Amino acid sequence: QVQLVESGGGLVQAGGSLRLSCAASGRTFSWYGMGWFRQVLGKEREFVASINRSGGSAYYTDSVKGRFTISRDNAKKMVYLQMNSLKPEDTAEYYCAVKVSGAGSDVASNYGYWGQGTQVTVSS
């Protein structure tokens, strides 16, 4: 079992940066791929980025490529999302999650454990 706690959200002006952190508990953290998703009230949860177990491979949704970077530190049981050049459309609740099954790292149903979320608001 893995428990996740996100932090680092906040209010930032367009063009600014934030770094989200996700702290995981559980001995088997390094066994799993990890992902970041985001959700706007009234809309479906949207894939943002994922990273494989070793941290050697990452995948991003097109809208954040070149602006966001996902990384992980298995020794510290942490996953990060560095967000640069933020836009108002990046405003959402951001969630980290543990990938437990399936081939698609951008599919929310392939993730079995979720954090409580951290709010990111980008003002124009």
Side-chain angles (χ1 to χ4, degrees):
Q1 184 124 6
V2 179
Q3 293 182 324
L4 304 171
V5 178
E6 301 97 334
S7 62
L11 174 64
V12 63
Q13 288 187 332
S17 298
L18 282 174
R19 188 196 195 203
L20 305 184
S21 298
C22 175
S25 65
R27 296 179 298 170
T28 58
F29 173 74
S30 61
W31 293 6
Y32 300 102
M34 298 292 296
W36 284 95
F37 288 74
R38 63 189 180 188
Q39 188 170 22
V40 175
L41 192 62
K43 295 187 176 181
E44 290 190 358
R45 195 162 292 188
E46 175 191 24
F47 169 77
V48 176
S50 64
I51 192 166
N52 69 347
R53 292 179 293 179
S54 68
S57 178
Y59 178 57
Y60 300 90
T61 191
D62 286 347
S63 63
V64 309
K65 284 180 181 176
R67 300 188 299 122
F68 291 11
T69 302
I70 187 172
S71 61
R72 68 188 295 165
D73 185 332
N74 285 343
K76 295 181 179 179
K77 298 182 182 178
M78 296 290 295
V79 180
Y80 305 99
L81 186 67
Q82 177 67 43
M83 305 187 296
N84 299 328
S85 302
L86 282 161
K87 304 175 181 180
E89 51 264 44
D90 295 318
T91 295
E93 189 84 5
Y94 282 72
Y95 300 87
C96 69
V98 178
K99 188 174 182 297
V100 296
S101 66
S105 63
D106 57 347
V107 179
S109 60
N110 287 338
Y111 291 77
Y113 302 98
W114 295 82
Q116 84 290 346
T118 185
Q119 177 67 37
V120 171
T121 303
V122 184
S123 63
S124 57

